[in-house]
């Protein structure tokens, strides 16, 4: 009898020690990375405290509802504005664009009103009809509160902006009065009029309002467009849900059928690639031969130099010869890879088929992404609400608003109650103390930006933790399947629930540590993106180059950490060790099987990509024919739509997300089975005392080289 092969060694040269009683994910385990678990819990409690503080100081109404020049909300209960829900601008001509209006930065008095003006009128007209009470009563509702029949001169009233100099027919949008623009036969009109009287009684064309209301038409069109989209969703939501259910069924069927079709799909694709490359070689030779004897075709690429028109190079025989040689090299490389890696490709396909079989036995894993989705949705909601409350924290800040740009007091902070006692109005006639924004001088308000960064960081940490929890849970369930000697009889009851319990009870700290590392890298990437956005207008080429290099490096680092975390979580789910030990074991295990890793990764990516395209494409085509009424049997059932692409796009995106959710479980299953397979080969030898746990299909693929030879040596 020959000597048994040496036991696998660790990277440090010491023999690896295996537990002879190991039969799957360890049940008796201890808590890991306790310090990180404590820090994680403390951070969560601090995050909750930050949310409470933001909730106490913040007020989302500050961005939802418009605020007048006195810092009061339009429509706020318990104030004189309770029944005045719309904001009106006294002199809209001072506003440069709708963006200025929405951001409340228009340098004119802003007043809450119960309704927008519905006619053209000027303060001069009101003075001329001041004995007409009905005329005055209508105009007075757009003046400052408490302003009765005018006792001031016209100049003083307009200077102090007690009343608007003119009112324009408007309609509310975003709770603000916008001019009622419309187009008739290509002519811009307001309330079907092309001319109006300004504050001085002069006749002007409504096109003079164009600069102040630039983009209003597009904003109003967007409102109409949004309403039509809402109507389409209201009439087609039932059919959208049916289409998404079909996508779920198709995704499930595709995963189940992979155990029979994985090899067929892959080899069809490989043969197709070989055929396409072969045709390319033939075509290049044909072009090379057809240019024989053509004047100028025998020139070299070096002779003609650099040309902007690429077609010039296609007239040279040397170009086609280079293409032919390149394609020949590609063809030879593909064929050699298939020859030398054929066994590893077969192992990869067998693992894919085994993954389909494992999911068939543990169907509950397909619906675990719903839990991950709920957890991530909670994280996103809490982050968004906290960010909004922090952004709206603070008290009202008032600043001097002057009509003249040369006023030295313009844009300085002021106090409305004492503003009239200062000399600002004397130096800058017409200046007002108006609401500007919300802020404060406390510690909380001074470091609000730091708190926002903390909000983003903890959000990233929690999202990554939710994903890590899902990966560890699924890995534990699928590892239970692999290490069951007799499948499915030896598969433990409720493997998914048991794995989830182990991950939460023992490995919260390890999952938090891996998520923390990834969150730090992602936060750095966000900061780099922000800096890149700020430096776009910069002329410093070195800074741009350095920033680009940093972005590339951290992108690669994030991808590597995600890959390592994923495999570390698998080892945690199996052996119950801490994060660092599991990451080290996973890394060296993968390095000892690096070729298998590369082959399995590419084969899996291709088949899952094919599955996503198949599910999304098939359901999308079906939805297209249905919503465009091209299915004769269902023509009467299809809803009437303004835009058929609205539900169609929703179905396509939703189908892709559903397919991605199902296939992410499948990808996790294949990765787990692969690590278990590698461990199985290292810790067992196929004997009766150390039998393999792999499937019979993998037994047949490994064959004499890796099983029978070991038996012969014994």
């Amino acid at each position: 009898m020959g000597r048994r092969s040496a036991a696998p060694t660790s990277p440090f040269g010491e023999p690896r020690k295996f537990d002879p009683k190991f039969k799957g994910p360890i049940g008796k385990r201890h808590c890991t990375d306790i310090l990180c678990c404590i820090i994680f819990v403390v951070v969560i409690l601090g995050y909750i405290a930050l949310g409470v503080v933001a909730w106490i100081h913040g007020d989302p109404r500050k961005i939802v509802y418009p605020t007048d020049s006195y810092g009061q909300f339009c429509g706020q209960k318990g104030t004189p504005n309770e029944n005045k829900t719309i904001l009106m601008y006294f002199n809209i001509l001072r506003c440069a664009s709708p963006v200025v209006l929405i951001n409340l930065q228009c340098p004119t008095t802003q007043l809450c009103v119960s309704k927008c003006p519905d006619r053209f009128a000027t303060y001069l007209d009101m003075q001329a009809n001041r004995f007409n009470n009905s005329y005055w009563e209508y105009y007075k509702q757009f003046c400052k509160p408490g302003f009765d029949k005018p006792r001031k001169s016209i100049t003083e009233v307009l200077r102090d902006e007690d009343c608007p100099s003119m009112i324009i027919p408007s309609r509310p949008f975003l709770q603000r009065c916008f001019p009622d623009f419309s187009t008739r036969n290509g002519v811009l009109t307001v309330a079907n009029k092309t001319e109006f009287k300004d504050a001085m009684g002069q006749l002007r064309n409504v096109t003079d309002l164009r600069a102040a209301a630039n983009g209003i038409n597009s904003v109003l069109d967007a409102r109409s467009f949004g309403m039509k989209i809402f109507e389409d969703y209201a009439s087609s939501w039932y059919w959208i849900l049916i289409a998404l259910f079909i996508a779920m069924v198709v995704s499930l069927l595709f995963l189940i059928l992979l155990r029979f079709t994985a090899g067929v799909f892959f080899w069809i694709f490989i043969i197709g690639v070989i055929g396409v490359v072969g045709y390319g070689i033939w075509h290049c030779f044909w072009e090379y031969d057809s240019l024989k004897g053509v004047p100028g075709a025998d020139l070299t690429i070096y002779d003609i130099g650099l040309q902007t028109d690429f077609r010039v190079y296609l007239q040279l025989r040397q170009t086609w010869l280079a293409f032919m040689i390149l394609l020949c090299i590609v063809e030879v490389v593909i064929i050699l890879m298939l020859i030398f890696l054929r066994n590893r490709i077969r192992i990869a396909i067998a693992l894919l088929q085994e993954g389909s079989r494992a999911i068939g036995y543990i169907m509950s894993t397909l619906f675990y992404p719903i839990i991950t989705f709920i957890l991530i949705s909670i994280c996103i909601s809490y982050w968004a609400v906290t960010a909004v409350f922090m952004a709206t924290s603070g008290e009202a800040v008032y600043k001097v608003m002057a009509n003249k740009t040369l006023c030295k007091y313009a844009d300085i902070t002021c106090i409305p109650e004492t503003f009239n006692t200062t000399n600002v109005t004397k130096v800058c006639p017409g200046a007002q103390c108006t609401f500007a924004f919300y802020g404060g001088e406390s510690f909380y308000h001074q470091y609000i930006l730091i708190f926002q960064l903390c909000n983003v960081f903890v959000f990233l940490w929690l999202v990554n933790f939710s994903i890590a929890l899902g990966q560890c849970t699924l890995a534990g369930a699928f590892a239970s399947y692999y290490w069951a000697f007799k499948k499915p009889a030896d598969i433990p009851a409720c493997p998914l629930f048991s794995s989830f319990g182990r991950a939460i009870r023992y490995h919260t700290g390890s999952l938090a540590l891996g998520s923390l590392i990834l969150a730090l890298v992602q936060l750095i990437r966000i900061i780099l993106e922000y800096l890149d956005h700020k430096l776009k207008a910069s002329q410093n080429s070195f800074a741009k180059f350095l920033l680009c290099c940093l972005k590339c490096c951290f992108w690669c680092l994030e991808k590597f950490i995600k890959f390592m975390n994923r495999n570390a979580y698998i080892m945690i789910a199996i052996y119950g060790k801490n994060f660092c030990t599991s990451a080290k074991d996973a890394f060296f295990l993968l390095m000892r099987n690096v070729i298998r890793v590369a082959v399995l990764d590419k084969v899996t990516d291709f088949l899952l990509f094919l599955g996503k395209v198949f599910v999304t494409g098939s359901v999308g085509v079906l939805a297209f024919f249905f919503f465009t009424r091209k299915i004769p049997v269902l023509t009467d059932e299809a809803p009437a739509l303004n835009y058929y692409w609205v539900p169609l796009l929703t179905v396509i995106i939703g189908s892709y997300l559903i397919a991605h959710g199902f296939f992410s479980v499948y990808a996790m299953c294949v990765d787990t089975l692969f690590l278990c397979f590698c461990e199985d080969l290292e810790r067992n030898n196929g004997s009766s005392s150390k039998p393999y746990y792999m499937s019979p299909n993998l037994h047949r693929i490994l064959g004499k080289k890796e099983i029978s030879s070991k038996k012969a040596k014994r």
Side-chain angles (χ1 to χ4, degrees):
M1 294 178 62
R3 184 173 55 89
R4 182 175 298 183
S5 58
T9 59
S10 71
F12 303 100
E14 300 173 355
R16 292 190 64 199
K17 297 180 181 179
F18 295 113
D19 182 6
K21 298 180 180 180
F22 177 80
K23 293 182 179 180
I26 295 174
K28 294 182 179 180
R29 53 181 72 194
H30 59 276
C31 295
T32 56
D33 297 304
I34 299 176
L35 178 61
C36 190
C37 179
I38 295 173
I39 294 174
F40 183 61
V41 173
V42 171
V43 168
I44 292 178
L45 294 176
Y47 194 37
I48 295 174
L50 178 62
V52 172
V53 173
W55 182 79
I56 293 174
H57 289 86
D59 190 349
R61 294 179 303 172
K62 296 172 183 177
I63 58 175
V64 175
Y65 299 105
T67 308
D68 64 11
S69 296
Y70 303 100
Q72 295 179 333
F73 300 125
C74 294
Q76 182 180 9
K77 293 184 178 181
T79 68
N81 293 335
E82 183 172 356
N83 298 319
K84 300 176 181 180
T85 59
I86 308 170
L87 190 70
M88 189 193 77
Y89 301 86
F90 269 28
N91 191 349
I92 197 172
L93 292 174
R94 294 180 184 169
C95 306
S97 69
V99 177
V100 173
L101 299 182
I102 295 172
N103 290 334
L104 303 178
Q105 299 300 320
C106 186
T108 186
T109 298
Q110 300 152 26
L111 189 70
C112 295
V113 295
S114 57
K115 63 180 180 178
C116 295
D118 59 5
R119 68 191 72 171
F120 282 109
T122 66
Y123 189 75
L124 292 176
D125 292 337
M126 191 281 301
Q127 282 284 53
N129 296 276
R130 61 182 178 275
F131 299 109
N132 186 339
N133 287 331
S134 62
Y135 194 97
W136 166 242
E137 289 297 326
Y138 178 80
Y139 202 92
K140 186 178 71 171
Q141 64 182 323
F142 305 112
C143 296
K144 289 181 179 179
F147 185 79
D148 207 341
K149 284 194 176 183
R151 298 190 179 119
K152 296 181 181 179
S153 65
I154 296 177
T155 303
E156 291 175 332
V157 171
L158 298 182
R159 181 196 65 191
D160 298 336
E161 289 196 344
D162 293 320
C163 284
S165 58
M166 63 179 177
I167 56 176
I168 301 170
S170 307
R171 53 180 171 178
F173 178 63
L174 297 176
Q175 292 184 274
R176 293 163 175 84
C177 292
F178 286 92
D180 189 9
F181 283 102
S182 61
T183 304
R184 298 181 60 186
N185 299 324
V187 179
L188 185 66
T189 64
V190 174
N192 296 326
K193 292 184 179 181
T194 58
E195 295 179 329
F196 68 99
K197 287 184 179 180
D198 64 6
M200 305 307 296
Q202 297 179 351
L203 199 63
R204 299 176 64 172
N205 195 289
V206 295
T207 55
D208 294 336
L209 293 170
R210 190 188 300 269
N214 182 32
I216 290 291
N217 285 329
S218 61
V219 173
L220 297 178
D221 289 342
R223 181 182 63 173
S224 176
F225 178 71
M227 289 300 298
K228 290 181 180 179
I229 291 179
F230 179 79
E231 292 172 358
D232 288 343
Y233 277 123
S235 59
S236 62
W237 67 270
Y238 179 76
W239 295 104
I240 291 175
L241 291 180
I242 292 178
L244 296 180
F245 177 77
I246 294 174
M248 183 180 70
V249 174
V250 173
S251 300
L252 181 59
L253 290 176
F254 185 86
L255 290 180
I256 294 175
L257 292 176
L258 270 181
R259 73 174 70 176
F260 310 108
T261 58
V264 176
F265 284 151
F266 178 78
W267 289 115
I268 289 176
F269 173 77
I270 291 297
I271 293 172
V273 170
I274 294 175
V276 170
V277 176
Y279 171 78
I281 294 172
W282 175 85
H283 182 77
C284 291
F285 175 78
W286 181 82
E287 290 284 356
Y288 174 80
D289 187 65
S290 63
L291 290 173
K292 187 177 182 180
V294 176
D298 291 325
L299 292 173
T300 64
I301 296 175
Y302 179 79
D303 293 333
I304 65 173
L306 182 63
Q307 300 291 329
T308 56
D309 189 357
F310 185 75
R311 290 174 296 180
V312 174
Y313 297 104
L314 299 180
Q315 306 303 318
L316 304 178
R317 298 185 74 204
Q318 190 183 62
T319 302
W320 292 105
L321 179 62
F323 284 162
M324 183 173 63
I325 293 173
L326 181 63
L327 289 177
C328 285
I329 294 173
V330 172
E331 188 86 333
V332 171
V333 169
I334 292 176
I335 293 174
L336 289 177
M337 287 178 62
L338 290 176
I339 293 174
F340 291 104
L341 299 179
R342 64 187 185 281
N343 219 37
R344 289 179 172 83
I345 293 175
R346 292 175 63 198
I347 292 174
I349 294 174
L351 284 172
L352 290 170
Q353 295 171 335
E354 191 68 15
S356 177
R357 189 175 292 106
I359 290 177
Y361 287 128
I362 314 177
M363 293 289 291
S364 58
T365 56
L366 288 174
F367 302 97
Y368 185 85
I370 297 176
I371 297 177
T372 302
F373 174 77
I374 293 173
L375 292 176
I376 293 177
S377 298
I378 294 173
C379 294
I380 294 175
S381 301
Y382 189 85
W383 164 77
V385 170
T386 303
V388 169
F389 271 89
M390 283 198 292
T392 57
S393 299
E395 303 297 330
V397 175
Y398 297 85
K399 290 192 174 183
V400 175
M401 181 186 67
N403 297 332
K404 296 182 180 181
T405 57
L406 298 178
C407 178
K408 65 179 181 179
Y409 295 106
D411 206 35
I412 68 171
T413 306
C414 59
I415 302 175
E417 291 78 7
T418 61
F419 181 72
N420 292 330
T421 61
T422 64
N423 65 339
V424 176
T425 54
K426 298 178 181 178
V427 177
C428 304
Q432 300 181 61
C433 184
T434 60
F435 168 78
F437 56 87
Y438 291 96
E441 300 298 330
S442 66
F443 174 84
Y444 171 75
H445 296 104
Q446 288 178 349
Y447 293 93
I448 197 73
L449 178 61
I450 302 299
F451 291 136
Q452 286 284 20
L453 285 175
C454 293
N455 184 29
V456 173
F457 171 70
V458 180
F459 162 71
L460 293 174
W461 194 358
L462 291 176
V463 168
N464 288 320
F465 178 83
S466 301
I467 296 173
L469 178 62
Q471 292 175 341
C472 190
T473 299
L474 292 173
F478 292 125
S480 299
Y481 164 83
Y482 185 93
W483 295 107
F485 189 72
K486 295 181 180 180
K487 303 175 179 62
D490 291 344
I491 299 176
C494 303
L496 183 67
F497 180 78
S498 300
S499 179
F500 180 81
R502 290 194 299 267
I504 287 291
R505 181 178 178 182
Y506 298 107
H507 306 302
T508 297
S510 298
L511 301 181
L513 178 56
S515 305
L516 173 63
I517 297 172
L518 183 57
L520 287 171
V521 175
Q522 290 174 336
L523 181 64
I524 293 174
R525 287 195 64 203
I526 291 174
I527 295 174
L528 290 176
E529 290 292 341
Y530 174 78
L531 294 176
D532 182 49
H533 177 73
K534 289 295 183 181
L535 291 175
K536 278 186 177 180
S538 173
Q539 302 299 322
N540 192 330
S541 300
F542 176 76
K544 290 183 178 180
F545 172 76
L546 180 61
L547 196 59
C548 183
C549 292
L550 288 173
K551 287 171 59 179
C552 179
C553 291
F554 277 96
W555 179 85
C556 295
L557 180 60
E558 181 184 359
K559 294 297 181 183
F560 176 75
I561 291 175
K562 283 184 176 180
F563 175 76
M564 286 307 306
N565 281 5
R566 183 183 181 91
N567 290 282
Y569 299 148
I570 295 174
M571 300 300 282
I572 289 172
I574 298 174
Y575 295 107
K577 298 179 181 179
N578 61 48
F579 176 80
C580 293
T581 302
S582 299
K584 182 195 70 174
D585 292 344
F587 177 77
F588 289 115
L589 181 62
L590 293 173
M591 289 301 100
R592 291 192 295 271
N593 299 271
V594 64
I595 298 179
R596 285 173 177 161
V597 172
V599 173
L600 178 67
D601 185 58
K602 297 309 173 186
V603 173
T604 304
D605 287 346
F606 163 70
L607 288 178
L608 295 187
F609 171 76
L610 191 66
K612 292 176 184 178
V613 171
F614 173 74
V615 173
T616 305
S618 58
V619 177
V621 169
L622 180 64
F624 171 78
F625 283 112
F626 174 76
F627 289 119
T628 55
R629 299 173 180 268
K630 293 184 179 180
I631 302 179
V633 181
L634 299 175
T635 301
D636 296 334
E637 299 293 334
L641 301 170
N642 296 300
Y643 310 107
Y644 73 86
W645 55 263
V646 171
L648 176 61
L649 194 61
T650 305
V651 167
I652 291 175
I653 296 175
S655 299
Y656 177 82
L657 294 176
I658 289 174
H660 178 74
F662 275 90
F663 295 158
S664 64
V665 173
Y666 182 75
M668 194 67 200
C669 175
V670 173
D671 289 345
T672 303
L673 296 181
F674 174 72
L675 285 184
C676 291
F677 169 74
C678 295
E679 282 284 292
D680 194 10
L681 287 177
E682 291 190 357
R683 69 168 49 247
N684 299 312
N685 55 21
S687 63
S688 57
S689 60
K690 292 184 177 181
Y692 287 120
Y693 285 79
M694 66 186 70
S695 66
N697 191 23
L698 285 171
H699 268 280
R700 288 191 295 270
I701 293 173
L702 290 176
K704 297 179 180 179
K705 290 185 178 180
E706 298 199 39
I707 296 180
S708 299
S709 61
K710 290 184 179 181
K711 291 180 179 179
K713 288 180 181 180
R714 291 195 304 272

